[in-house]
Amino acid sequence: MTARRRLVRVPASSANLGPGYDAMAAAVSLQLEVEVEEAGEFSLDPGGLEVSTGRDNLVVRAFESLHPADRIAFRLRSEIPLARGLGSSAAAIVAGLCAADHLFELALSKEELLARATAIEGHPDNVAAAIHGGFVVCAAGGPEPFAARFDPPEGLEGIVVIPAEEVSTRRAREAIPAELPLDDAVANVSAAALLVLGLRSADLDLVARGLGDRIHQPRRRHLYPRSMEIVEGARELGALGATISGAGPTVLVWTTWQDAGAVAAALSERCSGWAEVRRLPFSPLGADVPEL
Ligand code: HSE
């Protein structure tokens, strides 16, 4: 009998998108690939990543929440930088779940995948974008998490500024108090609504108006002060605006495709020696298990 083998591809993601703390995210065109094979014993090839090669690896933990990995060989390849706010942990969780789902023909629905991935990650935004691709709006308050998805609009481009330093998501989440001033909540509700309207109607002026945040970025500023300078200066460089990607420190700079080259060049000059700047298209594609 030939050993069963599956390849899973999962995109990186940028969460929050300014006003949508824990509620909005977009998939972006960097990928984690995980290959699993029934090899007779457990092994994990991290593909050069600095991650655990044991059963505590996040891909394996997610896999084992569905099926034991005693006989499974895992091979990882990733373009997603770790602990920079680009959804590397969400991609790992979704990859592990999809790998077990497809290897053992469990036929999980996307809703079941989202519920399981959210339970492991602790919030739904990055995992929803990793599963569905495109832009997602999530709700985690009910009995099951929910995500609505839509395609990236024409003419919008992303550029990411990826600093060398890492930010711990746990520390970043501890910086947000359980209660917030009403003014801040109202400002974010308005901005999030404008942002979704702008994205759905490809009205990039509305998108620019919808990128403001008064909930997480100001309260985490001490964790990524230089990133916040980029967020605040992005419009002067010709961008529509900028948002901290997830828990940071990566900055997602939003631009029209016409301006993307000039904005990327200006950012590269400004961030030289501190951060990597790369154009990163929004991705309509979510997790995928291609035929081998
Ligand atoms: N919404 C999350 C946060 C994303 O900002 O903490 C990080 O994983």
Side-chain angles (χ1 to χ4, degrees), residues 1 4 36 42 49 57 59 68 83 87 102 140 151 171 180 186 204 224 251 253 255 263 271 274:
M1 199 179 88
R4 283 187 292 186
V36 286
F42 171 79
L49 291 179
N57 181 287
V59 174
H102 282 260
D151 275 328
R171 277 192 66 205
L180 296 157
V186 171
L204 300 187
Y224 40 57
V251 182
V253 179
T255 165
V263 173
C271 302
W274 165 62

Side-chain angles (χ1 to χ4, degrees), residues 15-16 21-22 123 125-126 169 173 220 246-247:
N16 302 332
Y21 178 66
D22 276 1
H123 46 89
D125 42 1
N126 288 103
T169 301
R173 292 185 78 76
R220 291 171 165 175

Side-chain angles (χ1 to χ4, degrees), residues 109-268:
S109 65
K110 286 194 170 166
E111 290 73 23
E112 287 170 306
L113 266 181
L114 178 64
R116 287 177 176 275
T118 302
I120 299 171
E121 172 90 326
H123 46 89
D125 42 1
N126 288 103
V127 293
I131 291 168
H132 292 285
F135 281 78
V136 290
V137 180
C138 313
E144 295 291 342
F146 171 80
R149 169 207 185 279
F150 54 93
D151 275 328
E154 292 282 320
L156 182 68
E157 287 237 352
I159 301 168
V160 282
V161 175
I162 311 174
E165 66 265 18
E166 300 184 357
V167 165
S168 139
T169 301
R170 184 185 54 76
R171 277 192 66 205
R173 292 185 78 76
E174 284 169 2
I176 315 290
E179 295 190 358
L180 296 157
L182 183 61
D183 282 0
D184 291 346
V186 171
N188 273 46
V189 170
S190 307
L194 289 173
L195 178 58
V196 173
L197 275 176
L199 290 168
R200 288 297 281 147
S201 57
D203 180 335
L204 300 187
D205 291 331
L206 272 188
V207 169
R209 285 179 187 277
L211 295 177
D213 163 58
R214 285 174 46 179
I215 290 181
H216 59 103
Q217 294 174 181
R219 293 179 175 83
R220 291 171 165 175
R221 184 182 195 104
H222 59 288
L223 298 172
Y224 40 57
R226 294 181 73 176
S227 300
M228 284 304 288
E229 287 172 20
I230 302 294
V231 169
E232 285 155 0
R235 291 181 74 125
E236 284 156 32
L237 301 180
L240 297 168
T243 52
I244 298 288
S245 187
T250 293
V251 182
L252 173 63
V253 179
W254 302 59
T255 165
T256 63
W257 69 263
Q258 294 96 326
D259 292 334
V263 173
L267 283 166
S268 296

